[in-house]
């Protein structure tokens, strides 16, 4: 049986390749999660008034 | 070959100067240690070695032990390393060995960009995204079915040792990754090619090469990541839950030493009241406090005559 051992070795190789690829994906995923979360939550507050208005005093609705 | 005298003196001067700078570093380290020891003497004198192994943090009864903080620091950091090392080494291998050429630079650039995010941003993201997601998607189901295992015991709050560990692991990934890539790059190309030319697959080549060459280097990368995880303050404080208890369950809130230093808050004030400002657990704040001298004069637990029978806390400016 020439096939089985060679197949097993190749399968292991291919599996590990995908495992490493998954590692790389998991490593860079948080960057995008953080970035887009900040962007989505921050974008709607980004108005001109944010830059030119003075901060409201404490206790006054902002 | 005899050197000229002038050159000799220059050499000697240079040698001594560099030696002096080298010893300066050692001296600074020792000085740091000495100052830390001196400032912590009141605590050590009061509680003795038990300070390190006692789990109580009771400002009312004036009993303090540092165990929850030490435990929290160690557990959250080890958890982070446990998650981050396999991921980063795997990613490093992917980038160096398997990724198509056009993918290498962007992936490693993005992974290293993680190091550029300020820790307070990590903390904020941890509070608003990571903690709720972990709580609902992971902790709640796990504690429901595996709650009998002490590590996963409920109740689930959200901020927890696990959240701190996961967040820390994201933060230390870029460091471990880049050191691991350096380590992988030191493997002689010929040896890799030798394995491949004998008919080995890439995975077999990696197993042989990593086993022989890279384990010490990867260990070094791990220590670097661990060092960063141990000292991380802001992000940990924001997600670890800040409860001074050493609990086995990863789903329970904890505390870390750095977090304790950062937001001693109410504990700190009461510590000072209890010890008349002499317990220098956190010396900087104490010295900066406007009521410091008052505190020194005021006997412990004495009721402020100006107030209506209410014991005055150092933080009360009114």
């Amino acid at each position: 049986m020439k096939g089985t051992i060679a197949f097993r070795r190749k399968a292991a190789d291919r599996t590990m390749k995908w495992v490493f690829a998954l590692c790389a994906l998991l490593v860079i995923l948080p960057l995008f999660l953080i970035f887009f979360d900040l962007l989505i939550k921050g974008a709607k507050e980004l108005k001109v008034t944010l830059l030119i208005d003075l901060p409201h005093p404490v206790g006054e609705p902002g | 070959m005899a050197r000229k005298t002038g050159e000799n003196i220059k050499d000697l001067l240079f040698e001594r100067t560099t030696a002096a700078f080298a010893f300066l570093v050692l001296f600074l380290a020792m000085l740091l240690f000495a100052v830390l020891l001196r400032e912590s003497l009141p605590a050590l004198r009061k509680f003795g070695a038990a300070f390190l192994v006692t789990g109580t943090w009771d400002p009312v009864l004036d009993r303090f032990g540092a165990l929850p903080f030490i435990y929290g620091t160690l557990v959250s950091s080890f958890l982070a390393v446990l998650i981050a090392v396999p991921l980063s080494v795997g990613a490093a291998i992917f980038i160096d060995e398997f990724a198509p050429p056009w993918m290498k630079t962007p992936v490693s650039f993005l992974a290293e960009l993680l190091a550029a995010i300020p820790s307070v941003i990590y903390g904020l993201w941890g509070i608003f995204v990571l903690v709720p997601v972990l709580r609902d998607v992971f902790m709640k189901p796990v504690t429901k079915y595996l709650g009998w295992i002490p590590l996963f015991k409920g109740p689930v709050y959200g901020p927890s040792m696990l959240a701190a560990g996961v967040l820390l692991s994201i933060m230390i990934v870029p460091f471990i990754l880049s050191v691991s890539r350096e380590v992988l790059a030191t493997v002689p190309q010929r040896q890799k090619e030798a394995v491949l030319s004998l008919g080995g697959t890439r995975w077999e080549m990696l197993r042989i090469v990593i086993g022989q060459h890279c384990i010490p280097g990867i260990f070094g990368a791990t220590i670097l990541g661990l060092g960063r995880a141990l000292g991380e303050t802001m992000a940990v404080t924001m997600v670890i839950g800040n409860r001074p208890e050493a609990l086995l369950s990863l789903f329970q809130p904890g505390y870390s030493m750095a977090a304790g230093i950062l937001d001693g808050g109410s504990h700190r004030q009461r510590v000072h009241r209890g010890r008349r400002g002499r317990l220098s657990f956190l010396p900087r704040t104490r010295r900066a406090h406007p009521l410091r001298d008052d505190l020194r004069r005021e006997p412990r637990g004495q009721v402020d005559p100006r107030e209506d029978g209410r014991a005055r806390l150092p933080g009360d400016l009114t």
Side-chain angles (χ1 to χ4, degrees):
Chain A
M1 283 286 278
K2 183 190 155 212
T4 40
I5 291 179
F7 176 76
R8 216 180 294 159
R9 289 176 57 213
K10 272 194 182 152
D13 189 53
R14 216 167 298 145
T15 315
M16 289 319 286
K17 181 181 171 177
W18 285 108
V19 169
F20 292 139
L22 188 71
C23 287
L25 184 73
L26 282 176
V27 160
I28 56 175
L29 190 67
L31 183 75
F32 288 103
L33 288 179
I34 294 172
F35 183 70
F36 285 112
D37 189 61
L38 288 178
L39 208 64
I40 289 163
K41 283 185 183 155
K44 54 177 186 259
E45 296 298 324
L46 205 61
K47 304 161 197 151
V48 186
T49 51
L50 178 77
L51 299 176
I52 57 175
D53 276 9
L54 289 173
H56 291 271
V58 179
E60 224 175 80
Chain B
M1 192 172 68
R3 280 185 293 188
K4 276 181 272 174
T5 334
E7 214 171 305
N8 240 341
I9 289 174
K10 275 185 212 158
D11 269 0
L12 198 70
L13 208 63
F14 179 67
E15 202 184 303
R16 290 287 149 86
T17 315
T18 49
F21 281 119
F23 280 112
L24 188 68
V25 175
L26 282 182
F27 175 71
L28 277 178
M30 283 193 303
L31 198 67
L32 192 68
F33 185 75
V35 169
L36 281 176
L37 194 68
R38 200 193 67 190
E39 293 292 319
S40 60
L41 265 184
L44 292 175
R45 220 175 267 147
K46 169 101 164 63
F47 303 108
F51 187 59
L52 300 178
V53 289
T54 320
T56 336
W57 192 267
D58 190 343
V60 179
L61 293 179
D62 212 13
R63 273 190 216 126
F64 301 99
L67 182 71
F69 301 88
I70 297 168
Y71 177 80
T73 305
L74 292 181
V75 170
S76 60
S77 302
F78 279 122
L79 200 62
V81 165
L82 215 61
I83 300 168
V85 167
L87 279 181
S88 352
V89 173
I93 292 174
F94 176 76
I95 293 169
D96 277 357
E97 298 293 336
F98 291 105
W102 59 267
M103 211 192 247
K104 286 178 200 253
T105 317
V107 172
S108 71
F109 174 73
L110 287 174
E112 272 161 34
L113 216 55
L114 279 173
I117 301 176
S119 56
V120 69
I121 302 293
Y122 273 113
L124 204 67
W125 179 75
I127 289 177
F128 287 120
V129 182
L130 182 71
V131 166
V133 168
L134 264 184
R135 182 183 57 209
D136 297 337
V137 176
F138 183 74
M139 291 197 231
K140 274 185 182 167
V142 168
T143 201
K144 194 174 167 196
Y145 295 109
L146 297 171
W148 48 272
I149 300 174
L151 277 182
F152 304 133
K153 223 174 132 209
V156 168
Y157 301 102
S160 56
M161 212 67 109
L162 180 77
V166 171
L167 195 64
L168 276 176
S169 76
I170 299 172
M171 298 179 73
I172 63 177
V173 151
F175 298 91
I176 304 178
L177 179 85
S178 61
V179 176
S180 299
R181 284 197 66 198
E182 294 295 326
V183 172
L184 285 173
T186 62
V187 177
Q189 193 64 31
R190 277 186 194 173
Q191 287 198 9
K192 294 201 227 168
E193 281 167 9
V195 180
L196 291 177
S197 71
L198 288 173
T201 60
R202 278 180 175 261
W203 165 233
E204 285 161 345
M205 179 264 284
L206 283 167
R207 251 184 4 204
I208 294 167
V209 155
I210 289 177
Q212 286 196 341
H213 275 275
C214 302
I215 296 292
I218 288 170
F219 184 72
T222 308
I223 295 297
L224 187 75
L226 184 68
R228 196 174 138 79
L230 287 172
E232 177 49 45
T233 310
M234 201 63 220
V236 172
T237 313
M238 289 165 92
V239 298
I240 203 170
N242 299 342
R243 195 168 73 184
E245 269 181 89
L247 297 170
L248 195 58
S249 173
L250 296 177
F251 294 175
Q252 297 300 311
Y255 226 135
S256 83
M257 286 191 272
I261 291 170
L262 179 67
D263 65 4
S266 53
H267 312 305
R268 191 156 59 207
Q269 293 184 344
R270 298 215 195 138
V271 169
H272 290 163
R273 177 176 157 234
R275 295 285 95 209
R276 279 179 269 165
R278 268 195 287 131
L279 181 80
S280 54
F281 188 60
L282 292 148
R284 196 168 63 99
T285 317
R286 189 192 82 212
R287 300 218 166 112
H289 205 287
L291 292 175
R292 175 170 59 109
D293 292 325
D294 270 12
L295 291 170
R296 287 237 170 101
R297 261 182 269 117
E298 192 179 67
R300 175 148 74 104
Q302 193 193 325
V303 170
D304 186 356
R306 288 171 297 176
E307 297 282 8
D308 45 321
R310 190 166 61 92
R312 191 155 57 93
L313 293 176
D316 283 350
L317 288 163
T318 47

